Amino acid sequence: MTPGKKRTTARAIAVAAAGLLALSLTTVLGGTAAAQDTAAATPGENEISSSRNIRQIANIPKQAPFNTEAALGTDIAFTGKYAVVGNYDGFIIYDISRPAKPKIVSQVLCPGSQNDVSVSGDLLFLSTDSSRSDNSCNSTPKPATEKDAWEGIKVFDIKDKANPRYVSAIETKCGSHTNTLVPDKRKQNVYIYVSSYSPNATFPDCQPPHDLISIIKVPVKNPAAAAVVGEPVLFPGGGNGGIPGTFPAPYVTPTSGCHDITAYPEKDLAAGACMGEGVLFDISDREKPRVINTVKDDTNFAFWHSATFNNDGTKVVFTDELGGGGAPACTAAIGQIRGANGVYDITGRGDKRKLEFRSYYKIPRVQTETENCVAHNGSLIPVFGRDIMVQAWYQGGVSVWDFTDSARPVEIAHWERGPYNAGKLVTGGSWSAYYYNGHIYSSDIQKGLDVLELNDWRTFSAQFVRMREFNPQSQGHYLG
């Protein structure tokens, strides 16, 4: 697949259709049973529990120097036979050519949380959202109140996967919590949409109101010349003012920038999860994204965290990171609506498109008070004719769910570990869970890289979709 695009042949589609028919006749009963056992009891400390249609086939524990509880595993990007996984202290490149036997190819120590990653060809982009003494990988923490403190995007050349090479760095306002890769239509440049937030009047490089994103232009043939080319203001009216409160009480985070943006370049669309609201963008002009519609949910959404389109670009799943990701938001007391996903249909055309709420989805298993759990990062599973997503829920594990009917989403598979520490809450669990070339890859904050195999008739056709590159925040279109 070219960046952001998947291709499949007519023959593969025909084979997939035949396979689906045959498999459905032999496994439909197993698939139904799996759907019925998704509300299983919480397993014991570090015990594994799952529905019958999904299993773990590999785990690579965190290795030194990333093997401490403070070295949190973060997001994943894929290129060819490799998975690149961020960590608060740097990043790791895995060879996943044999999914049941992944291998660490290299580890790069480069502190600067969160170190979310995206890839384009031989380039890796790394987000730094903690104030550092400089832009090098030898930096140390430095207060954001000091003008010469640094936060932003680092660029690496990863042509040699065993020896990644630092290329350049670009400072951005309020740093880079996450980054979204958007290829230019002429393929001469790639753009990075940088999401950041939490301004403070005492921070020289992160001043209120910060109702903007930063756009970095990276010349493909000269990445060292990457630079900020725009800082569009998304909320000229100030955005959602928020509702004060502290978890577990209801609250709404005020809008001051975005937490995450997911682009759908082929559709010239992007969806922004911007703290107090969800946003739909027109990105036909890559340097000048335009807000089409915004939506709020001051009753049930505390923190608009991330977004995923369906393949047709007619729906968006937004996540609510109630409690900031470190809280037990999947308990019986919190319930099934707060800390969930919101499923929205995109209605209308052109500039009259709107986000219309349809339903909430949350995992049906109650978690303990020592398990941080809430909706987090996921991706589509590229099946034909249905909208199915795999998603991380921190210590709530990995959930596979179907939102083809926007108003009636349903879980079809799950996999989880019991509490990382049954005696106290330690931040852990699956940060990101994505489908890539036949398998699910989960970045566990404390346990390293998990590889899962899904065996369900409803997702069988996904095996026929192959990608050469995959950044989950830059969705591609697959044929179906």
Side-chain angles (χ1 to χ4, degrees):
M1 179 185 90
T2 55
K5 201 162 189 177
K6 305 168 192 163
R7 294 295 185 198
T8 186
T9 65
R11 181 175 182 275
I13 295 173
V15 172
L20 269 173
L21 176 61
L23 194 64
S24 65
L25 294 175
T26 58
T27 65
V28 65
L29 293 178
T32 302
Q36 291 173 348
D37 69 6
T38 56
T42 301
E45 185 174 286
N46 290 306
E47 292 178 352
I48 290 175
S49 173
S50 72
S51 54
R52 284 175 279 177
N53 54 354
I54 191 170
R55 68 187 182 104
Q56 181 192 51
I57 62 171
N59 169 261
I60 300 293
K62 295 193 299 184
Q63 308 291 315
F66 302 139
N67 59 345
T68 67
E69 286 188 350
L72 277 59
T74 62
D75 212 7
I76 316 174
F78 302 89
T79 178
K81 66 178 185 178
Y82 301 97
V84 184
V85 181
N87 184 286
Y88 271 37
D89 285 343
F91 64 91
I92 307 104
I93 300 180
Y94 296 88
D95 181 336
I96 55 171
S97 56
R98 299 175 66 188
K101 294 185 177 180
K103 299 183 295 183
I104 293 176
V105 178
S106 60
Q107 298 190 128
V108 175
L109 183 63
C110 194
S113 63
Q114 297 181 144
N115 278 335
D116 276 13
V117 293
S118 62
V119 294
S120 178
D122 293 331
L123 299 178
L124 165 71
F125 304 99
L126 194 68
S127 285
T128 301
D129 193 33
S130 61
S131 187
R132 312 296 298 180
S133 57
D134 56 55
N135 62 14
S136 76
C137 287
N138 297 316
S139 68
T140 57
K142 189 168 190 175
T145 52
E146 299 187 25
K147 175 62 180 173
D148 60 349
W150 186 91
E151 299 175 85
I153 291 282
K154 300 185 183 84
V155 183
F156 288 82
D157 184 320
I158 57 168
K159 183 176 183 178
D160 182 351
K161 302 298 186 294
N163 297 286
R165 181 174 59 85
Y166 184 103
V167 175
S168 64
I170 307 96
E171 187 171 16
T172 54
K173 290 180 179 178
C174 297
S176 172
H177 193 72
T178 60
N179 73 79
T180 303
L181 188 144
V182 185
D184 135 350
K185 295 181 179 181
R186 295 180 298 172
K187 301 182 180 180
Q188 296 177 351
N189 307 286
V190 292
Y191 290 94
I192 305 296
Y193 289 3
V194 176
S195 295
S196 57
Y197 56 95
S198 294
N200 190 301
T202 67
F203 298 168
D205 298 321
C206 187
Q207 289 287 297
H210 193 69
D211 292 328
L212 56 81
I213 60 172
S214 298
I215 299 177
I216 296 172
K217 183 177 182 178
V218 185
V220 172
K221 295 183 178 180
N222 184 21
V228 174
V229 293
E231 294 174 341
V233 173
L234 308 181
F235 311 103
N240 193 337
I243 298 174
T246 304
F247 180 87
Y251 67 93
V252 176
T253 306
T255 300
S256 61
C258 292
H259 179 279
D260 213 328
I261 295 172
T262 294
Y264 199 156
E266 186 164 317
K267 303 285 187 181
D268 283 335
L269 286 174
C274 300
M275 306 177 72
E277 53 209 287
V279 183
L280 185 66
F281 300 94
D282 178 317
I283 59 168
S284 51
D285 184 337
R286 301 294 196 245
E287 294 187 15
K288 297 178 180 178
R290 210 164 36 81
V291 174
I292 301 173
N293 186 231
T294 62
V295 64
K296 302 174 185 176
D297 181 353
D298 288 352
T299 302
N300 293 311
F301 257 49
F303 189 98
W304 295 70
H305 174 276
S306 52
T308 303
F309 288 97
N310 69 335
N311 188 49
D312 290 336
T314 58
K315 303 175 186 177
V316 181
V317 174
F318 288 104
T319 65
D320 171 25
E321 196 180 41
L322 173 68
C330 298
T331 62
I334 295 297
Q336 284 300 112
I337 294 180
R338 296 172 63 212
N341 297 316
V343 182
Y344 287 76
D345 285 348
I346 300 175
T347 62
R349 294 184 177 183
D351 286 351
K352 294 184 178 180
R353 284 172 287 188
K354 292 185 177 181
L355 294 161
E356 299 282 354
F357 174 78
R358 293 292 182 258
S359 64
Y360 296 108
Y361 168 77
K362 191 173 184 178
I363 57 172
R365 289 163 303 286
V366 172
Q367 305 294 304
T368 69
E369 292 285 351
T370 62
E371 292 176 285
N372 58 303
C373 173
V374 76
H376 212 233
N377 298 335
S379 72
L380 291 184
I381 297 179
V383 299
F384 301 141
R386 301 196 70 81
D387 299 324
I388 297 179
M389 181 175 177
V390 59
Q391 184 179 15
W393 289 77
Y394 290 111
Q395 292 196 62
V398 174
S399 175
V400 179
W401 59 289
D402 187 325
F403 63 104
T404 307
D405 183 341
S406 303
R408 296 176 179 82
V410 61
E411 184 173 72
I412 64 174
H414 81 275
W415 183 92
E416 69 168 309
R417 289 185 175 90
Y420 173 74
N421 186 325
K424 65 176 182 178
L425 197 161
V426 177
T427 299
S430 180
W431 180 288
S432 298
Y434 302 130
Y435 184 95
Y436 181 71
N437 291 352
H439 292 85
I440 293 168
Y441 296 86
S442 169
S443 170
D444 188 287
I445 292 169
Q446 301 296 349
K447 295 290 187 176
L449 181 69
D450 289 310
V451 185
L452 309 179
E453 182 178 79
L454 180 64
N455 183 17
D456 190 282
W457 64 275
R458 289 158 290 198
T459 61
F460 178 75
S461 62
Q463 298 179 51
F464 296 89
V465 177
R466 284 292 182 268
M467 296 171 271
R468 292 201 295 269
E469 187 173 284
F470 180 43
N471 296 290
Q473 288 75 38
S474 183
Q475 287 188 224
H477 180 75
Y478 55 87
L479 302 180

